[in-house]
Coordinates of all heavy atoms in Angstrom, one line a residue:
M156 N 58.4 89.0 65.4 CA 59.5 88.9 66.3 C 60.8 89.2 65.7 O 61.1 88.7 64.6 CB 59.5 87.5 66.9 CG 60.2 87.4 68.2 SD 59.6 86.2 69.3 CE 60.0 86.7 70.9
V157 N 61.6 90.1 66.3 CA 62.8 90.5 65.7 C 64.0 90.0 66.6 O 64.0 90.2 67.8 CB 62.9 92.0 65.6 CG1 64.3 92.5 65.1 CG2 61.8 92.6 64.8
F158 N 64.9 89.3 66.0 CA 66.0 88.8 66.7 C 67.2 89.8 66.6 O 67.6 90.1 65.5 CB 66.4 87.4 66.2 CG 65.4 86.4 66.6 CD1 64.4 86.0 65.6 CD2 65.4 85.8 67.8 CE1 63.5 85.1 66.0 CE2 64.4 84.9 68.2 CZ 63.5 84.5 67.2
Q159 N 67.7 90.2 67.7 CA 68.9 91.0 67.7 C 70.1 90.1 67.6 O 70.3 89.3 68.6 CB 68.9 91.9 68.9 CG 67.7 92.8 69.0 CD 67.8 94.0 68.1 OE1 68.9 94.3 67.5 NE2 66.7 94.8 68.0
T160 N 70.9 90.3 66.6 CA 72.0 89.4 66.5 C 73.3 90.2 66.7 O 74.2 90.1 65.9 CB 72.0 88.7 65.1 OG1 72.0 89.7 64.1 CG2 70.9 87.8 65.0
A161 N 73.3 91.1 67.7 CA 74.4 91.9 67.9 C 75.7 91.1 68.3 O 76.8 91.4 67.9 CB 74.1 92.9 69.0
F162 N 75.4 90.1 69.0 CA 76.6 89.4 69.5 C 77.3 88.6 68.4 O 78.4 88.4 68.4 CB 76.1 88.4 70.6 CG 75.8 89.0 71.9 CD1 74.5 89.1 72.4 CD2 76.8 89.6 72.6 CE1 74.2 89.7 73.6 CE2 76.5 90.3 73.8 CZ 75.2 90.3 74.3
Q163 N 76.5 88.3 67.4 CA 77.1 87.5 66.3 C 77.8 88.4 65.4 O 78.6 87.9 64.5 CB 76.0 86.7 65.6 CG 75.3 85.7 66.5 CD 74.2 85.0 65.8 OE1 74.0 85.2 64.6 NE2 73.4 84.2 66.5
N164 N 77.6 89.7 65.5 CA 78.2 90.6 64.5 C 79.6 91.1 65.0 O 80.2 91.8 64.3 CB 77.3 91.7 64.2 CG 76.1 91.3 63.4 OD1 76.2 90.3 62.7 ND2 75.0 92.0 63.5
V165 N 80.0 90.7 66.2 CA 81.2 91.2 66.6 C 82.4 90.4 65.9 O 82.4 89.2 66.0 CB 81.4 91.0 68.2 CG1 82.7 91.4 68.6 CG2 80.3 91.7 68.9
P166 N 83.2 91.1 65.2 CA 84.2 90.5 64.4 C 85.3 89.9 65.3 O 85.8 90.6 66.2 CB 84.8 91.6 63.6 CG 84.5 92.9 64.3 CD 83.2 92.6 65.1
G167 N 85.6 88.7 65.1 CA 86.8 88.0 65.8 C 86.6 88.0 67.2 O 87.5 88.4 68.0
S168 N 85.4 87.7 67.7 CA 85.2 87.8 69.1 C 85.3 86.4 69.8 O 84.3 85.7 70.1 CB 83.8 88.3 69.4 OG 82.8 87.4 68.9
T169 N 86.5 86.0 69.9 CA 86.8 84.7 70.6 C 87.5 85.0 71.9 O 88.7 85.0 72.0 CB 87.6 83.8 69.7 OG1 88.7 84.5 69.2 CG2 86.8 83.2 68.6
M170 N 86.6 85.4 72.9 CA 87.2 85.8 74.2 C 88.3 86.8 74.1 O 89.3 86.7 74.6 CB 87.7 84.5 74.9 CG 86.6 83.5 75.2 SD 85.5 84.2 76.5 CE 86.5 84.1 77.9
A171 N 88.0 87.8 73.3 CA 89.0 88.9 73.2 C 89.1 89.6 74.5 O 88.1 89.9 75.2 CB 88.6 89.9 72.1
A172 N 90.3 89.8 74.9 CA 90.6 90.5 76.2 C 90.1 91.9 76.1 O 90.8 92.8 75.7 CB 92.1 90.4 76.5
K173 N 88.9 92.1 76.5 CA 88.4 93.4 76.4 C 88.6 94.2 77.7 O 88.3 93.7 78.8 CB 86.9 93.3 76.1 CG 86.2 94.6 75.8 CD 84.7 94.4 75.5 CE 84.1 95.8 75.2 NZ 82.6 95.6 75.0
V174 N 89.2 95.3 77.5 CA 89.5 96.1 78.7 C 88.3 97.1 79.0 O 88.1 98.0 78.1 CB 90.8 96.9 78.5 CG1 91.1 97.8 79.7 CG2 91.9 96.0 78.3
T175 N 87.7 96.9 80.1 CA 86.6 97.8 80.4 C 87.2 98.9 81.4 O 87.8 98.5 82.4 CB 85.5 97.0 81.1 OG1 85.1 96.0 80.1 CG2 84.3 97.9 81.3
K176 N 86.8 100.1 81.1 CA 87.3 101.1 82.0 C 86.1 101.9 82.5 O 85.1 102.2 81.8 CB 88.2 102.1 81.3 CG 89.6 101.5 81.0 CD 90.5 102.6 80.4 CE 91.8 101.9 80.1 NZ 92.8 102.9 79.5
V177 N 86.2 102.1 83.8 CA 85.1 102.8 84.5 C 85.7 104.1 85.0 O 86.9 104.3 85.1 CB 84.4 102.0 85.6 CG1 83.8 100.8 85.0 CG2 85.4 101.6 86.6
R178 N 84.8 104.9 85.5 CA 85.3 106.2 86.1 C 85.5 106.0 87.6 O 84.6 105.6 88.3 CB 84.3 107.3 85.8 CG 84.9 108.6 85.9 CD 83.9 109.7 85.5 NE 84.1 110.9 86.2 CZ 83.3 111.9 86.2 NH1 82.1 111.8 85.6 NH2 83.5 113.0 86.8
C179 N 86.7 106.3 88.0 CA 87.0 106.2 89.4 C 86.1 107.2 90.2 O 86.1 108.4 90.0 CB 88.5 106.5 89.6 SG 88.9 106.5 91.4
P180 N 85.4 106.7 91.1 CA 84.5 107.5 91.9 C 85.2 108.5 92.8 O 84.6 109.4 93.4 CB 83.6 106.5 92.7 CG 84.4 105.3 92.8 CD 85.3 105.3 91.5
Q181 N 86.5 108.3 93.0 CA 87.2 109.1 93.9 C 87.9 110.3 93.2 O 87.7 111.4 93.5 CB 88.3 108.3 94.6 CG 89.0 109.0 95.7 CD 88.1 109.7 96.7 OE1 88.1 110.9 96.9 NE2 87.3 108.8 97.3
C182 N 88.7 110.0 92.2 CA 89.4 111.0 91.5 C 88.8 111.3 90.1 O 89.2 112.3 89.5 CB 90.9 110.6 91.4 SG 91.2 109.3 90.2
G183 N 87.9 110.5 89.7 CA 87.3 110.8 88.4 C 88.1 110.3 87.2 O 87.7 110.5 86.1
G184 N 89.2 109.7 87.5 CA 90.1 109.2 86.4 C 89.6 107.9 85.9 O 88.6 107.3 86.4
E185 N 90.4 107.4 85.0 CA 90.0 106.1 84.4 C 90.5 105.0 85.4 O 91.6 105.0 85.9 CB 90.7 105.9 83.1 CG 90.0 106.6 82.0 CD 90.6 106.2 80.6 OE1 91.7 105.7 80.6 OE2 90.0 106.4 79.6
A186 N 89.6 104.1 85.6 CA 89.9 102.9 86.4 C 89.6 101.7 85.6 O 88.6 101.5 85.0 CB 89.0 103.0 87.7
L187 N 90.6 100.8 85.7 CA 90.5 99.6 85.0 C 89.5 98.7 85.7 O 89.6 98.4 86.9 CB 91.8 98.9 84.9 CG 92.0 97.8 83.8 CD1 91.9 98.4 82.4 CD2 93.3 97.1 84.0
W188 N 88.5 98.2 84.9 CA 87.5 97.3 85.5 C 87.8 95.9 85.1 O 87.5 95.5 84.0 CB 86.1 97.7 85.1 CG 85.1 96.9 85.8 CD1 84.6 95.7 85.4 CD2 84.4 97.2 87.0 NE1 83.7 95.2 86.3 CE2 83.5 96.1 87.3 CE3 84.5 98.3 87.9 CZ2 82.7 96.1 88.4 CZ3 83.6 98.2 89.0 CH2 82.8 97.2 89.3
G189 N 88.5 95.2 85.9 CA 88.8 93.8 85.6 C 89.4 93.1 86.8 O 89.6 93.7 87.8
P190 N 89.6 91.8 86.6 CA 90.1 91.1 87.7 C 91.5 91.5 88.2 O 91.9 91.2 89.3 CB 90.1 89.6 87.2 CG 90.1 89.8 85.7 CD 89.4 91.0 85.4
E191 N 92.2 92.1 87.3 CA 93.6 92.6 87.6 C 93.6 93.8 88.5 O 94.5 94.1 89.1 CB 94.4 92.8 86.4 CG 93.9 93.8 85.5 CD 93.0 93.2 84.4 OE1 92.6 92.0 84.6 OE2 92.7 93.9 83.4
N192 N 92.4 94.5 88.5 CA 92.3 95.7 89.3 C 91.5 95.3 90.5 O 90.3 95.3 90.5 CB 91.7 96.8 88.5 CG 91.6 98.1 89.4 OD1 92.2 98.2 90.4 ND2 90.8 99.0 88.9
K193 N 92.2 95.0 91.6 CA 91.5 94.6 92.8 C 91.0 95.8 93.6 O 90.4 95.7 94.6 CB 92.4 93.8 93.7 CG 93.7 94.5 94.1 CD 94.6 93.5 94.9 CE 95.9 94.1 95.2 NZ 96.8 93.2 95.9
Y194 N 91.3 97.0 93.1 CA 90.8 98.2 93.8 C 89.6 98.8 93.1 O 89.1 99.8 93.4 CB 91.9 99.2 93.8 CG 93.2 98.7 94.3 CD1 94.3 98.7 93.5 CD2 93.3 98.2 95.6 CE1 95.5 98.1 94.0 CE2 94.4 97.7 96.1 CZ 95.5 97.7 95.3 OH 96.7 97.2 95.8
R195 N 89.0 98.1 92.1 CA 87.9 98.6 91.4 C 86.7 98.8 92.4 O 86.6 98.0 93.3 CB 87.5 97.7 90.2 CG 87.0 96.3 90.7 CD 86.8 95.4 89.5 NE 86.2 94.2 89.8 CZ 86.9 93.1 90.1 NH1 88.2 93.1 90.1 NH2 86.3 92.0 90.4
P196 N 85.9 99.7 92.2 CA 85.9 100.6 91.0 C 86.8 101.7 91.0 O 86.7 102.6 90.2 CB 84.4 101.1 91.0 CG 84.1 101.2 92.5 CD 84.8 100.0 93.1
F197 N 87.8 101.7 92.0 CA 88.7 102.8 92.0 C 89.9 102.5 91.1 O 90.1 101.3 90.7 CB 89.2 102.9 93.5 CG 88.1 103.2 94.4 CD1 87.6 102.1 95.2 CD2 87.5 104.4 94.5 CE1 86.6 102.3 96.1 CE2 86.4 104.6 95.4 CZ 86.0 103.6 96.2
C198 N 90.6 103.5 90.8 CA 91.7 103.3 89.9 C 93.0 102.8 90.6 O 93.8 102.2 89.9 CB 92.0 104.6 89.2 SG 92.7 105.9 90.2
S199 N 93.1 103.0 91.8 CA 94.3 102.6 92.5 C 94.0 102.4 94.0 O 92.9 102.7 94.5 CB 95.3 103.7 92.4 OG 94.9 104.9 93.0
E200 N 95.0 101.9 94.7 CA 94.8 101.6 96.1 C 94.6 102.9 96.9 O 93.8 103.0 97.8 CB 96.0 100.9 96.6 CG 95.9 100.5 98.1 CD 97.1 99.8 98.6 OE1 98.2 99.8 97.9 OE2 97.1 99.2 99.7
R201 N 95.2 103.9 96.4 CA 95.2 105.2 97.1 C 93.7 105.7 97.1 O 93.2 106.1 98.1 CB 96.1 106.2 96.3 CG 96.5 107.4 97.2 CD 97.5 108.2 96.5 NE 97.0 108.9 95.4 CZ 96.7 110.2 95.4 NH1 96.9 110.9 96.5 NH2 96.2 110.8 94.3
C202 N 93.1 105.7 95.9 CA 91.7 106.2 95.9 C 90.8 105.3 96.7 O 89.9 105.9 97.3 CB 91.3 106.2 94.4 SG 92.0 107.5 93.4
K203 N 91.1 104.1 96.8 CA 90.2 103.2 97.6 C 90.4 103.5 99.1 O 89.4 103.6 99.8 CB 90.6 101.8 97.3 CG 89.6 100.8 98.0 CD 90.0 99.4 97.8 CE 89.0 98.5 98.5 NZ 89.3 97.1 98.3
L204 N 91.6 103.8 99.5 CA 91.9 104.1 100.9 C 91.3 105.4 101.2 O 90.7 105.6 102.3 CB 93.4 104.1 101.1 CG 94.0 102.7 101.1 CD1 95.5 102.8 101.3 CD2 93.4 101.8 102.1
I205 N 91.3 106.4 100.3 CA 90.7 107.7 100.5 C 89.2 107.5 100.8 O 88.6 108.1 101.7 CB 91.0 108.6 99.4 CG1 92.5 109.0 99.3 CG2 90.1 109.9 99.5 CD1 92.8 109.8 98.1
D206 N 88.6 106.7 99.9 CA 87.2 106.5 100.1 C 86.9 105.8 101.3 O 85.9 106.1 102.0 CB 86.7 105.7 98.9 CG 85.2 105.7 98.8 OD1 84.7 106.8 98.4 OD2 84.5 104.7 99.1
L207 N 87.7 104.8 101.7 CA 87.4 104.1 102.9 C 87.6 105.1 104.1 O 86.8 105.0 105.1 CB 88.4 102.9 103.1 CG 88.1 101.8 102.2 CD1 89.2 100.7 102.4 CD2 86.7 101.2 102.5
G208 N 88.5 106.0 104.0 CA 88.7 107.0 105.0 C 87.4 107.9 105.2 O 87.0 108.2 106.3
A209 N 86.9 108.2 104.0 CA 85.7 109.0 104.0 C 84.5 108.2 104.7 O 83.7 108.8 105.4 CB 85.3 109.3 102.6
W210 N 84.5 107.0 104.4 CA 83.5 106.1 105.1 C 83.6 106.1 106.6 O 82.7 106.2 107.3 CB 83.6 104.7 104.6 CG 82.8 104.4 103.4 CD1 83.1 104.6 102.1 CD2 81.5 103.8 103.4 NE1 82.0 104.3 101.3 CE2 81.0 103.8 102.1 CE3 80.6 103.4 104.4 CZ2 79.8 103.2 101.7 CZ3 79.4 102.9 104.1 CH2 79.0 102.8 102.7
A211 N 84.9 106.0 107.0 CA 85.1 105.9 108.4 C 84.8 107.2 109.2 O 84.4 107.2 110.3 CB 86.5 105.4 108.7
S212 N 85.1 108.3 108.6 CA 85.1 109.6 109.3 C 84.0 110.5 108.9 O 83.6 111.4 109.7 CB 86.4 110.3 109.1 OG 86.6 110.6 107.7
E213 N 83.4 110.3 107.8 CA 82.4 111.3 107.3 C 81.0 110.8 107.3 O 80.6 109.9 108.0 CB 82.9 111.8 106.0 CG 84.1 112.7 106.2 CD 84.1 113.8 105.2 OE1 83.1 114.2 104.7 OE2 85.2 114.3 104.9
T214 N 80.3 111.4 106.4 CA 78.9 111.3 106.4 C 78.3 110.0 106.1 O 77.1 109.7 106.5 CB 78.3 112.3 105.4 OG1 78.9 112.1 104.1 CG2 78.6 113.7 105.8
Y215 N 79.1 109.1 105.5 CA 78.5 107.9 105.2 C 78.1 107.1 106.4 O 78.9 107.0 107.4 CB 79.4 107.0 104.4 CG 79.8 107.6 103.0 CD1 81.0 108.1 102.8 CD2 78.8 107.7 102.0 CE1 81.3 108.7 101.6 CE2 79.1 108.2 100.8 CZ 80.4 108.7 100.6 OH 80.7 109.3 99.4
R216 N 77.0 106.6 106.5 CA 76.6 105.8 107.6 C 75.8 104.6 107.2 O 74.8 104.7 106.5 CB 75.8 106.7 108.6 CG 76.6 107.2 109.7 CD 75.8 107.8 110.8 NE 76.5 108.8 111.5 CZ 75.9 109.5 112.5 NH1 74.6 109.3 112.8 NH2 76.6 110.4 113.2
V217 N 76.2 103.5 107.7 CA 75.5 102.3 107.4 C 74.6 102.0 108.6 O 75.1 101.8 109.7 CB 76.4 101.1 107.1 CG1 75.6 99.9 106.8 CG2 77.4 101.5 105.9
P218 N 73.4 102.1 108.4 CA 72.5 101.7 109.5 C 72.6 100.3 110.0 O 72.6 99.4 109.1 CB 71.1 102.0 109.0 CG 71.2 101.9 107.5 CD 72.6 102.3 107.2
V219 N 72.8 100.1 111.2 CA 73.0 98.8 111.7 C 71.6 98.1 111.8 O 70.7 98.6 112.5 CB 73.7 98.8 113.1 CG1 73.8 97.4 113.6 CG2 75.0 99.5 113.1
Q220 N 71.6 97.0 111.1 CA 70.3 96.3 111.1 C 70.3 95.3 112.2 O 71.1 94.3 112.2 CB 70.0 95.7 109.8 CG 69.7 96.7 108.7 CD 69.2 96.1 107.4 OE1 69.2 94.8 107.4 NE2 68.8 96.8 106.5
E221 N 69.5 95.5 113.2 CA 69.4 94.5 114.2 C 68.5 93.4 113.8 O 67.3 93.6 113.5 CB 68.9 95.2 115.5 CG 69.8 96.2 116.0 CD 69.2 96.9 117.2 OE1 68.3 96.3 117.8 OE2 69.7 98.0 117.6
E222 N 69.1 92.2 113.9 CA 68.3 91.1 113.5 C 67.7 90.5 114.8 O 68.4 90.0 115.6 CB 69.1 90.0 112.8 CG 69.4 90.5 111.3 CD 70.0 89.3 110.6 OE1 69.8 88.2 111.0 OE2 70.7 89.6 109.6
T223 N 66.4 90.5 114.8 CA 65.8 89.9 116.0 C 65.5 88.4 115.6 O 64.5 88.1 115.1 CB 64.4 90.6 116.3 OG1 63.7 90.6 115.1 CG2 64.7 92.0 116.8
A224 N 66.6 87.7 115.9 CA 66.5 86.3 115.6 C 65.7 85.6 116.7 O 66.3 85.1 117.7 CB 67.9 85.7 115.5
E225 N 64.5 85.5 116.5 CA 63.7 84.8 117.5 C 63.7 83.3 117.2 O 63.5 82.9 116.1 CB 62.2 85.2 117.4 CG 62.0 86.6 118.0 CD 60.6 87.0 118.1 OE1 59.8 86.0 118.2 OE2 60.2 88.1 117.9
P226 N 64.0 82.5 118.2 CA 64.0 81.1 118.0 C 62.5 80.6 117.7 O 61.6 81.2 118.3 CB 64.5 80.5 119.3 CG 64.3 81.6 120.3 CD 64.3 82.9 119.5
S227 N 62.4 79.7 116.9 CA 61.1 79.2 116.6 C 60.5 78.6 117.9 O 61.2 78.2 118.8 CB 61.2 78.1 115.6 OG 62.1 77.1 116.0
A228 N 59.2 78.6 117.9 CA 58.4 78.2 119.1 C 59.0 77.0 119.8 O 59.2 76.0 119.2 CB 57.0 78.0 118.7
D229 N 59.2 77.3 121.1 CA 59.9 76.2 121.8 C 58.8 75.4 122.5 O 58.2 75.8 123.5 CB 60.8 76.9 122.9 CG 61.7 75.9 123.5 OD1 61.6 74.7 123.1 OD2 62.5 76.2 124.3
F230 N 58.6 74.2 122.1 CA 57.6 73.4 122.7 C 58.0 72.6 123.9 O 57.2 72.1 124.7 CB 57.1 72.4 121.6 CG 56.3 73.0 120.5 CD1 56.7 73.1 119.3 CD2 55.0 73.5 120.8 CE1 56.0 73.7 118.3 CE2 54.2 74.1 119.8 CZ 54.7 74.2 118.6
S231 N 59.3 72.6 124.1 CA 59.8 71.8 125.2 C 59.4 72.4 126.5 O 59.3 71.7 127.5 CB 61.3 71.6 125.1 OG 61.9 72.9 125.2
T232 N 59.2 73.7 126.6 CA 58.8 74.3 127.8 C 57.4 74.6 127.9 O 56.9 75.0 129.0 CB 59.6 75.6 128.0 OG1 59.3 76.5 126.9 CG2 61.1 75.4 128.1
S233 N 56.6 74.4 126.9 CA 55.2 74.7 126.9 C 54.3 73.5 127.1 O 53.2 73.5 126.8 CB 54.8 75.4 125.6 OG 55.0 74.5 124.6
G234 N 54.9 72.5 127.7 CA 54.1 71.3 128.0 C 54.4 70.2 127.0 O 54.9 70.4 125.9
K235 N 54.1 69.0 127.4 CA 54.3 67.9 126.6 C 53.1 67.6 125.7 O 52.0 67.8 126.1 CB 54.6 66.6 127.5 CG 55.8 66.8 128.4 CD 55.9 65.6 129.3 CE 57.1 65.8 130.2 NZ 57.2 64.7 131.2
P236 N 53.4 67.1 124.6 CA 52.4 66.7 123.7 C 51.6 65.5 124.3 O 52.3 64.7 125.0 CB 53.1 66.3 122.4 CG 54.5 66.0 122.8 CD 54.8 66.9 124.0
P237 N 50.3 65.5 124.1 CA 49.6 64.3 124.7 C 50.0 63.0 124.1 O 50.2 62.8 122.9 CB 48.1 64.7 124.3 CG 48.2 65.6 123.1 CD 49.5 66.3 123.3
L238 N 50.2 62.1 125.0 CA 50.6 60.8 124.5 C 49.4 60.0 124.0 O 48.3 60.0 124.7 CB 51.2 60.0 125.7 CG 52.6 60.6 126.2 CD1 53.0 59.8 127.4 CD2 53.6 60.5 125.1
S239 N 49.6 59.4 122.9 CA 48.4 58.6 122.4 C 48.7 57.1 122.7 O 49.7 56.6 122.5 CB 48.3 58.8 120.9 OG 49.6 58.4 120.3
K240 N 47.6 56.5 123.3 CA 47.8 55.1 123.6 C 47.0 54.2 122.6 O 45.9 54.6 122.3 CB 47.2 54.9 125.0 CG 48.4 54.9 126.0 CD 47.8 54.4 127.4 CE 49.0 54.4 128.4 NZ 48.5 54.1 129.7
Ligands
ZN306 ZN1 91.2 107.3 91.3

């Protein structure tokens, strides 16, 4: 058995504010991935709005899933349970 101790080898890793950057799916630029970026995975509000616009007007389509919520068997209308004496 081999133990990977990668996490222990990180120097000075006491909750270091690590900035993760992802690629903005809209413009391809760098987008900050963190709680301070509320538009993630987009880089900015603009890119997010553009993408939302694409959703609303273009090819993206979310199939509406109809939930057939059948109520569980209704015994109240199917007769009374036999009374035991
Ligand atoms: Zn962008």
Side-chain angles (χ1 to χ4, degrees):
M156 204 149 202
V157 178
F158 290 97
Q159 300 282 349
T160 57
F162 286 113
Q163 298 177 4
N164 289 334
V165 179
S168 63
T169 46
M170 292 294 287
K173 189 179 180 183
V174 179
T175 304
K176 287 185 178 177
V177 296
R178 202 173 149 192
C179 175
Q181 186 55 238
C182 70
E185 280 187 344
L187 198 68
W188 185 273
E191 60 269 13
N192 182 14
K193 57 183 175 181
Y194 308 116
R195 66 183 185 270
F197 304 100
C198 66
S199 64
E200 183 180 14
R201 200 170 71 103
C202 284
K203 186 180 182 180
L204 290 179
I205 290 173
D206 193 73
L207 286 177
W210 267 85
S212 62
E213 286 214 26
T214 52
Y215 298 109
R216 262 194 204 174
V217 181
V219 179
Q220 289 191 355
E221 296 179 15
E222 286 193 21
T223 52
E225 287 186 31
S227 53
D229 192 358
F230 287 111
S231 62
T232 57
S233 63
K235 297 176 182 175
L238 293 174
S239 59
K240 264 190 180 176

